[in-house]
Amino acid sequence: MRRYLYCGSMKDLEIKDYDVVIIGSGIAGLYASLHIDPYLKVALVTKVDLKTSNSYYAQGGIASVIAPNDTFEGHIEDTLVAGAGLCNEEAVKVLVEEGPENIAELVKLNVPFDTNPEGELMITREGGHSCRRIVHCGGDATGRETTKQLAQIVMEKENIDIFFNTFLIDILSEDGHVTGAVVSGSDSTQFILRASNIILATGGIGYLYKYTTNPRAAVGDGVACAKRAGAECENMEMVQFHPTTLYCPEYSERLFLISEAVRGEGGILRDSKGVAFMADKHKLKDLAPRDIVTRFILKELEKSGDTNVFLDVSSMSDEFFSHRFPTIYSECHKLGVNVPVDEIPVRPAQHYMMGGIKTDLNGMTNIDGLYACGEAACTGIHGANRLASNSILECLVFGRRAARHINEAKRQKSRITLPDAPDFKGAASSDEIEKDREAIRCCMSEKAGAVRTVADMTAGRNFIRSLCDKYEHLHLSEKDAYEVCNMAETALMIFDAALARKESVGAHYVIG
Ligand SMILES: Cc1cc2nc3c(=O)[nH]c(=O)nc-3n(C[C@H](O)[C@H](O)[C@H](O)COP(=O)(O)OP(=O)(O)OC[C@H]3O[C@@H](n4cnc5c(N)ncnc54)[C@H](O)[C@@H]3O)c2cc1C
């Protein structure tokens, strides 16, 4: 793996000084930035804008112990069961026990949670949860409403500079400490953000796959940058596939999610003959953990040769469905699916990354001053499979912890020694880069999907290795080339981890 993607002379780059650099403006990055002490100068860097993130698209809600009949022990137990023995129990305890105070903080920040006529938070249920414990906004628009409100507050903060359309290229480090980030700005000018505290909140990897619920920006940039800088990554083989995305015969860059909350409110999966096939497969039936439901759907599809199964939502009235799930209602109607009368055609697709940059309970990596939080991080709370709606909670709990740790660490301004320009020759054309991007996406979908074989994974790894070798010494100068290189490096980490894990566990399911 090359150390830097940046190919020019770093010594010629302008240096901008900050106390803290946060990469990513999803809920993890926004919430962390709000917890940095106001006398510290923060640069918040985002690849596109404040709407382009997995956070913005989140539907179902945020899990937390709110109901009087719920307990921390119950939430911990459900998280551990979904994680199939690979969770870090200490991290799960922190996540669950600090959940309610973070939800209370969002309420104070005026995030518009749905409430009942008595003004209490409404709570729903999703797969793998033994109790109702998911708070939500705008029915099924939790991510949009939360992101909008946090972004509004962040934009008013005088200590935070936001760099839109700015791309993280490399992380700089020296003697085990982080020293800065090389970025490419909105006018493609490249510069260095020098800081002794950096938080990577760069989100997931969905766009490594052909069929995903994630936007195009989710290519694992942060994970690849961290790895090049020497940060440890773990559980990279644990990729979650969501059982129910809206099936549409035409290819769509980002598949529309049908939230698990729809099954939480009574939706039932049926095959094309109308059989409720989850009824006898698991004690939680349609609300079994995601990997299990996904695999049973894939089995049904293999058996029947159909393109999709169906989600029967006819137990809900039109009034209830349109109020409870306004975004899903409108998207289905746009495609001619007259919910709740019509069944919704659904099939699984890539959705979430459980692994990522390994952190401790303060969100710090093995490099001093380099933190990761949100989907890019592996705190260990998800283990082999994420419990529904635990991911935004993780963004909040560990984003706040990372910020507080930075506030207390009081690190000195970093010394920075910049490397000489490498002598790389040869570049890939734009066409070739796009061809490689699509080849990675096809390879990942075919060889590192929800059901895996050693032969497929070996072939996939060999192909991705050859792409990494090709990019190892190429002169790169454009965002697309940096991205494809990051995609190949991240894909290689996934295959390496998948081949190293011999047994089937959670989302890593190997049949031969
Ligand atoms: C459709 C959908 C529905 C979901 N529903 C739920 C739900 O109901 N509940 C739940 O808990 N979870 C849900 N999830 C998962 C959850 O939304 C995400 O895991 C979580 O929001 C991730 O937040 P994040 O801040 O870590 O990353 P993101 O929100 O993905 O933000 C990543 C940020 O990093 C930036 N970035 C990436 N690379 C670079 C780079 N090279 N340079 C600069 N910036 C970069 C991106 O532009 C973006 O701003 C859902 C996910 C999807 C896709």
Side-chain angles (χ1 to χ4, degrees):
M1 185 183 246
R2 57 197 286 171
R3 170 63 186 91
Y4 301 109
L5 295 190
Y6 185 72
C7 292
S9 165
M10 287 193 200
K11 289 172 179 157
D12 297 336
L13 296 178
E14 183 193 351
I15 295 180
K16 299 179 199 272
D17 276 310
Y18 283 90
D19 297 305
V20 186
V21 171
I22 299 177
I23 314 281
S25 64
I27 292 176
L30 291 170
Y31 194 67
S33 69
L34 288 176
H35 286 87
I36 297 291
D37 281 342
Y39 58 83
L40 295 175
K41 213 174 149 206
V42 178
L44 180 67
V45 175
T46 181
K47 197 170 181 174
V48 190
D49 54 26
L50 299 177
K51 287 184 183 168
T52 309
S53 65
N54 278 355
S55 295
Y56 195 83
Y57 295 113
Q59 293 180 345
I62 313 176
S64 185
V65 175
I66 308 272
N69 65 337
D70 198 2
T71 60
F72 286 154
E73 290 73 26
H75 191 180
I76 290 172
E77 177 64 14
D78 291 344
T79 304
L80 296 179
V81 168
L86 290 194
C87 297
N88 171 342
E89 292 193 28
E90 215 186 335
V92 173
K93 195 161 176 287
V94 167
L95 174 90
V96 168
E97 291 182 356
E98 293 183 10
E101 65 199 66
N102 280 283
I103 299 297
E105 197 170 334
L106 289 187
V107 172
K108 262 203 211 139
L109 292 171
N110 291 324
V111 170
F113 285 112
D114 295 331
T115 52
N116 63 19
E118 288 74 47
E120 297 159 336
L121 292 176
M122 286 173 78
I123 40 179
T124 190
R125 197 173 155 200
E126 290 189 78
H129 288 276
S130 55
C131 185
R132 282 187 170 255
R133 62 167 74 99
I134 321 285
V135 292
H136 45 87
C137 309
D140 55 5
T142 308
R144 185 186 71 205
E145 296 304 319
T146 307
T147 308
K148 261 167 54 182
Q149 180 58 15
L150 296 181
Q152 186 58 42
I153 303 170
V154 166
M155 283 191 292
E156 287 161 10
K157 294 279 174 195
E158 285 185 359
N159 67 319
I160 303 176
D161 291 343
I162 307 181
F163 292 80
F164 292 101
N165 294 303
T166 299
F167 184 85
L168 168 71
I169 304 172
D170 281 311
I171 293 291
L172 303 172
S173 61
E174 210 166 308
D175 303 330
H177 300 271
V178 79
T179 55
V182 184
V183 299
S184 176
S186 52
D187 58 358
S188 296
T189 310
Q190 292 161 342
F191 55 94
I192 291 173
L193 293 166
R194 175 163 53 187
S196 46
N197 305 286
I198 295 187
I199 301 180
L200 291 170
T202 44
I205 53 131
Y207 208 72
L208 253 60
Y209 286 80
K210 189 100 186 145
Y211 300 99
T212 178
T213 59
N214 293 191
R216 193 184 164 96
V219 291
D221 290 324
V223 178
C225 282
K227 176 87 174 167
R228 284 197 299 277
E232 291 170 31
C233 296
E234 77 176 357
N235 291 353
M236 289 299 294
E237 71 280 27
M238 298 303 175
V239 177
Q240 182 169 78
F241 293 79
H242 198 289
T244 57
T245 63
L246 181 58
Y247 173 72
C248 169
E250 270 146 46
Y251 173 72
S252 157
E253 190 168 278
R254 189 181 73 77
L255 297 177
F256 184 81
L257 185 78
I258 305 295
S259 168
E260 212 151 28
V262 175
R263 278 174 283 136
E265 298 289 357
I268 291 175
L269 286 162
R270 297 190 188 279
D271 65 16
S272 52
K273 296 194 183 81
V275 177
F277 56 87
M278 283 308 296
D280 56 353
K281 303 290 190 315
H282 191 275
K283 65 175 184 214
L284 292 172
K285 300 180 180 172
D286 293 87
L287 287 175
R290 288 180 181 175
D291 60 318
I292 294 174
V293 182
T294 292
R295 284 197 295 272
F296 278 114
I297 294 178
L298 291 176
K299 222 180 232 177
E300 287 299 321
L301 297 182
E302 201 185 325
K303 227 167 45 189
S304 63
D306 293 337
T307 52
N308 57 276
V309 294
F310 296 91
L311 188 58
D312 174 1
V313 290
S314 59
S315 62
M316 291 173 244
S317 69
D318 189 83
E319 198 197 351
F320 176 83
F321 197 96
S322 59
H323 280 91
R324 179 65 186 84
F325 302 112
T327 319
I328 296 173
Y329 184 87
S330 133
E331 188 69 21
C332 285
H333 277 256
K334 248 195 271 169
L335 286 179
V337 181
N338 182 25
V339 282
V341 176
D342 289 355
E343 293 178 331
I344 309 173
V346 291
R347 61 169 298 138
Q350 192 287 341
H351 184 57
Y352 185 79
M353 164 177 77
M354 268 78 72
I357 307 159
K358 185 177 175 186
T359 71
D360 63 17
L361 295 181
N362 291 312
M364 200 162 87
T365 68
N366 55 311
I367 298 173
D368 183 57
L370 182 65
Y371 297 77
C373 59
E375 195 167 337
C378 183
T379 57
I381 65 148
H382 305 301
N385 194 14
R386 169 177 73 112
L387 184 66
S389 287
N390 264 355
S391 42
I392 298 184
L393 185 64
E394 184 190 29
C395 293
L396 302 173
V397 169
F398 291 94
R400 185 173 80 163
R401 280 185 155 246
R404 287 181 170 174
H405 196 255
I406 287 172
N407 295 339
E408 281 161 21
K410 300 198 184 333
R411 291 188 178 85
Q412 300 295 312
K413 285 245 171 290
S414 47
R415 200 166 40 84
I416 196 162
T417 317
L418 297 170
D420 292 324
D423 184 22
F424 291 154
K425 297 191 176 60
S429 67
S430 306
D431 283 355
E432 200 177 347
I433 288 166
E434 285 320 303
K435 223 177 91 213
D436 289 341
R437 190 195 298 270
E438 288 315 304
I440 293 170
R441 301 182 70 214
C442 289
C443 173
M444 293 303 287
S445 299
E446 285 166 18
K447 316 285 188 205
V451 178
R452 302 169 175 178
T453 69
V454 173
D456 276 350
M457 291 187 288
T458 307
R461 185 197 181 275
N462 290 343
F463 173 70
I464 296 292
R465 173 81 263 172
S466 69
L467 272 186
C468 288
D469 289 345
K470 168 177 153 182
Y471 278 86
E472 182 79 26
H473 300 292
L474 280 187
H475 183 92
L476 312 173
S477 59
E478 282 170 22
K479 196 190 105 194
D480 286 331
Y482 299 137
E483 268 191 344
V484 169
C485 197
N486 284 336
M487 287 171 78
E489 289 178 356
T490 307
L492 188 62
M493 282 188 248
I494 294 173
F495 278 120
D496 281 343
L499 283 162
R501 182 161 317 266
K502 301 295 175 207
E503 78 283 12
S504 283
V505 51
H508 176 64
Y509 188 72
V510 186
I511 54 167

